[in-house]
């Protein structure tokens, strides 16, 4: 059925007839174009309730050379006056040149990463003092209790019959498949790169890192601020956005050179958060003091991922030139040891929670590898350098008798491996690859305790999953739920604007979507560490979604 009225149809017919008559007379007259049908309104995206303040830039004084500023030269001036005038002009030129160089140096320094300690007022520069105060209050509220990373035995959820395992999977499916979109907000200004869910059970507190080094903190269930519309009527902001959020410019400069690549909570108490960035730094934000401190930096390569063992004393850092850095947090930056274990970018590193000496890495070399760090750290005995060990040194060490068993396993994928992570038991691994396949491995405890290489084996489950995100979307990475109380499962974004949840055996537990409220790929996902029916996701515009039971 046409969207035009009878009058508009008749009008278009008259215009067409007039054009035909004028064409026969070789005349041209500008006639009004036919009216196009009004497009149907689409779903309105989430709009930010807090509009960023636009700073009024004061126009800088226009510089003018001394030659143009000087008065007309007296043709009868004496040689002494001429020398004095020329000396003053030369002095003025030198001063102007020094000022120009100083301005250029200040501009260069402003574009460099910040290595000093910075407080909340600095990372929230330009925002209301009220917002800084509410953030301090919120952070203080989660310091009342410690939330250490909860561990589970590697043999947990080992069933003596298939019926019991199927019952555990069925329970998960029943509870997860009914999750709905209960909150939305534009938490960051740019594309979401990574996310982490805080363990506080009474809140839905999610941290998102974006493309320009901004950390967004979203209290998704907090009462929304009230905003005034054009008529001055005050209405809850929940009609557009849910909860409260704060934006912190942790990494600098605010460009794609400072993208936050990874977020991890302190595994001891969750009272601080570690962020890694493409600005080649790792920072720690303390919720207690509100101070962000640099704990590691390098000028060599972009940092792609970080992970910590349950004791929280150490950190492993992967980078874009194939390196793994071991950092002892008790000793500081000077303890860093760099091992180039690949000649391609390592996209992720994951520490086994029950056997912390085992690492799994995912690389653009199309391989996923498991390393024994006890032997990797002995490579220093084979080299004169005690802080950096390049790929040749590592290769020679692996080929020697002393390096036997350092690389415990090596599995090749058809294309680049974008991520690989251990589950909370430290027994299963899920990998994501550009060959559009999710792969699952499971290892027995006896295999993990060996000092020798793992037996060659194929993944026990392979799931076809579209991972062709392109350059405008964040790479899809399957993320395990950190909740140890339930059968292991993981979340992963779907190119069909949905969020998928799978069990550790590859069973699809839930396919979550909302065609009316979600119109973009939910590329980044995470789950609550202690509440089963909670998941969060973010997209390329900085908009984030909370999934939960609608009546909770």
């Amino acid at each position: 059925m046409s969207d035009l009225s009878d009058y508009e149809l008749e009008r278009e017919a008259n215009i067409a007839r007039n054009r035909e008559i004028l064409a026969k007379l070789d005349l041209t007259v500008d006639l009004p174009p036919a009216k196009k049908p009004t497009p149907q309104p689409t779903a309105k995206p989430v709009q930010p309730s807090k509009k960023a303040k636009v700073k009024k830039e004061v126009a800088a004084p226009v510089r003018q050379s001394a030659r143009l500023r000087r008065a007309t030269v007296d043709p009868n001036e004496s040689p002494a006056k001429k020398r004095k005038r020329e000396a003053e002009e030369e002095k003025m030129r030198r001063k102007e040149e020094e000022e120009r160089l100083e301005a250029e140096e200040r501009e260069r320094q402003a574009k460099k990463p910040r290595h000093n300690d910075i407080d909340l007022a600095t990372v929230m520069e330009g925002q209301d003092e009220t917002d800084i105060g509410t953030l301090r209050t919120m952070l203080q509220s989660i310091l009342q209790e410690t939330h250490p990373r909860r561990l589970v035995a590697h043999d947990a959820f080992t069933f003596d019959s298939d019926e019991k395992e199927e019952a555990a999977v069925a329970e998960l499916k029943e509870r997860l498949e009914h999750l709905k979109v209960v909150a939305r907000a534009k938490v960051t200004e740019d594309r979401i790169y990574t996310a982490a869910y805080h363990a506080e059970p009474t809140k839905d507190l999610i941290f998102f890192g974006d493309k320009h080094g901004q950390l967004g903190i979203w209290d998704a269930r907090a009462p929304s601020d009230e905003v005034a519309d054009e008529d001055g009527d005050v209405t809850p902001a929940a009609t557009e956005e849910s909860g409260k959020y704060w934006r912190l410019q942790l990494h600098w400069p605010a460009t794609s050179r400072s993208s936050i690549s990874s977020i991890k909570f302190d595994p001891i108490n969750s009272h601080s958060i570690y962020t890694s960035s493409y600005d080649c730094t790792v920072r720690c934000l303390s919720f207690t003091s509100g101070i962000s401190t640099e704990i590691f930096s390098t000028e060599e390569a972009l940092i792609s991922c970080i992970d910590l063992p349950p004791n929280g004393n150490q950190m492993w850092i992967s980078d874009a030139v194939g390196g793994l850095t071991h950092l002892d947090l008790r000793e500081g930056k000077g303890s860093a040891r760099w091992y180039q274990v690949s000649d391609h970018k390592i996209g992720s590193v994951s520490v086994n929670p029950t056997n912390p000496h085992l690492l799994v890495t995912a690389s653009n070399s199309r391989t996923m590898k498991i390393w024994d760090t006890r032997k990797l750290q002995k490579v220093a005995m084979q080299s004169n350098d005690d802080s950096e060990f390049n790929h040749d040194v590592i290769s020679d060490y692996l080929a020697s008798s002393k390096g036997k068993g350092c690389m415990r396993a090596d599995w090749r994928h058809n294309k680049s491996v974008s991520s690989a992570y251990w589950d909370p038991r430290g027994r299963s691994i899920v990998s994501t690859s550009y060959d559009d396949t999710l792969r699952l491995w499971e290892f027995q405890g006896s295999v993990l305790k060996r000092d020798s290489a793992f037996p060659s084996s194929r993944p026990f489950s392979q799931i076809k999953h579209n991972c062709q995100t392109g350059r405008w979307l964040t790479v899809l990475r399957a993320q395990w739920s950190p909740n140890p109380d339930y059968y292991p499962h993981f979340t992963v974004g779907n190119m069909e604007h949905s969020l998928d949840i799978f069990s550790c055996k590859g069973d699809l537990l839930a396919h979550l979507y909302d065609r009316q409220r979600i119109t973009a790929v939910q590329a980044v996902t995470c789950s609550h560490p202690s509440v089963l029916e909670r998941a969060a996701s973010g997209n390329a515009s900085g908009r984030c979604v909370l999934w939960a039971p609608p009546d909770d």
Side-chain angles (χ1 to χ4, degrees), residues 6 36 150 212 236 264 289 300 325 335 339 349 375 391 393 403 446 448 478 509 520 546:
D6 294 338
K36 296 181 179 180
R150 295 187 298 150
H212 286 175
K264 297 291 181 182
S289 65
E300 300 298 328
T325 299
S335 66
Y339 308 90
V349 59
K375 295 191 175 183
H391 192 241
V393 172
S446 58
L448 297 175
L509 302 175
L546 173 64

Side-chain angles (χ1 to χ4, degrees), residues 13 197 235 515:
Y197 217 127
T235 57
R515 303 297 184 222

Side-chain angles (χ1 to χ4, degrees), residues 155 157-165:
D155 58 351
F157 301 102
T158 301
F159 302 96
D160 53 9
S161 68
D162 293 340
E163 289 78 9
K164 292 183 179 179
E165 187 165 11

Side-chain angles (χ1 to χ4, degrees), residues 60 68 98 102 119 151 153-154 245 339 353 401 416 423 430 495 531:
L68 295 177
E98 290 176 358
E102 289 176 359
D119 58 13
L151 303 179
H154 73 275
Y245 60 81
Y339 308 90
S401 58
S416 297
D423 77 325
V430 60
M495 295 298 290
V531 181

Side-chain angles (χ1 to χ4, degrees), residues 73-90:
V73 178
D74 183 2
N76 300 319
E77 69 178 345
S78 64
K81 289 184 176 180
K82 181 179 180 181
R83 287 193 298 271
K84 182 178 179 181
R85 175 178 56 79
E86 290 176 345
E88 290 177 351
E89 291 177 354
E90 179 64 23

Side-chain angles (χ1 to χ4, degrees), residues 366-538:
R366 303 187 177 188
T367 56
M368 181 191 82
K369 298 180 179 181
I370 297 178
W371 302 89
D372 188 333
T373 62
R374 297 172 301 184
K375 295 191 175 183
L376 181 63
Q377 291 172 293
K378 291 181 180 180
V379 71
M381 301 178 182
Q382 305 291 109
S383 173
N384 294 328
D385 191 348
D386 63 350
S387 62
E388 294 188 358
F389 312 100
N390 62 30
H391 192 241
D392 291 337
V393 172
I394 298 298
S395 298
D396 292 343
Y397 176 70
L398 295 178
S400 68
S401 58
K402 293 184 178 180
K404 187 177 181 181
C406 179
M407 186 172 67
R408 304 286 289 274
D410 179 4
W411 288 285
R412 189 168 183 81
H413 294 55
N414 296 327
K415 290 187 178 180
S416 297
V417 190
S418 51
S419 66
Y421 302 111
W422 290 102
D423 77 325
R425 303 172 301 174
R427 204 175 75 198
S428 297
I429 293 176
V430 60
S431 73
T432 316
S433 172
Y434 276 106
D435 63 7
D436 295 337
T437 306
L438 307 178
R439 292 174 174 83
L440 286 159
W441 284 265
E442 184 169 356
F443 307 99
Q444 300 298 323
S446 58
V447 173
L448 297 175
K449 292 178 180 178
R450 294 178 185 173
D451 291 335
S452 58
F454 292 178
S456 178
S457 62
R458 295 176 60 83
F460 73 84
S461 180
Q462 301 189 56
I463 307 166
K464 298 306 295 181
H465 193 81
N466 185 0
C467 296
Q468 302 303 313
T469 54
R471 64 176 299 185
W472 305 113
L473 295 177
T474 303
V475 176
L476 301 184
R477 293 180 172 90
Q479 299 282 353
W480 290 103
S481 167
N483 191 331
D485 299 330
Y486 295 91
Y487 193 75
H489 55 285
F490 62 88
T491 58
V492 63
N494 191 306
M495 295 298 290
E496 297 178 355
H497 303 175
S498 60
L499 182 145
D500 292 342
I501 306 179
F502 292 91
S503 74
C504 63
K505 298 294 185 181
D507 306 299
L508 180 62
L509 302 175
H511 178 68
L512 308 178
Y513 61 92
D514 188 331
R515 303 297 184 222
Q516 298 298 320
R517 306 182 71 184
I518 294 182
T519 57
V521 176
Q522 303 300 295
V524 178
T525 67
C526 61
S527 303
H528 200 296
S530 56
V531 181
L532 173 64
E533 295 158 304
R534 291 289 189 281
S537 56

Side-chain angles (χ1 to χ4, degrees), residues 262-264 266 273-275 283-284 295 306 308 315 329:
S262 188
I263 296 175
K264 297 291 181 182
D266 185 337
I273 191 170
Y274 297 97
T275 57
R283 301 191 71 89
C284 176
I295 63 168
I306 58 175
L308 299 90
M315 177 181 289
L329 298 176

Side-chain angles (χ1 to χ4, degrees), residues 5-113:
S5 65
D6 294 338
Y7 169 77
E8 291 171 333
L9 291 173
E10 184 178 354
R11 178 175 176 273
E12 289 187 6
N14 290 336
I15 293 174
R17 284 195 298 271
N18 292 339
R19 287 187 186 277
E20 185 178 354
I21 294 172
L22 293 173
K24 290 179 180 179
L25 297 176
D26 292 330
L27 296 175
T28 58
V29 177
D30 292 334
L31 294 176
K35 186 177 180 181
K36 296 181 179 180
T38 304
Q40 295 294 327
T42 56
K44 186 177 181 181
V46 177
Q47 299 297 331
S49 59
K50 304 176 185 177
K51 295 184 178 180
K53 291 186 176 180
V54 179
K55 293 184 178 180
K56 294 183 179 180
E57 296 188 6
V58 180
V62 179
R63 293 185 178 277
Q64 194 176 41
S65 67
R67 180 181 62 82
L68 295 177
R69 288 199 309 269
R70 73 187 182 189
T72 304
V73 178
D74 183 2
N76 300 319
E77 69 178 345
S78 64
K81 289 184 176 180
K82 181 179 180 181
R83 287 193 298 271
K84 182 178 179 181
R85 175 178 56 79
E86 290 176 345
E88 290 177 351
E89 291 177 354
E90 179 64 23
K91 182 179 179 180
M92 184 65 70
R93 280 194 294 269
R94 290 180 180 177
K95 183 178 180 181
E96 288 179 349
E97 181 65 15
E98 290 176 358
E99 290 176 352
R100 184 185 64 81
L101 294 175
E102 289 176 359
E104 291 179 353
E105 180 61 22
R106 286 195 298 270
E107 187 177 353
R108 279 193 296 269
Q109 293 297 330
K111 293 181 179 179
K112 289 183 178 181

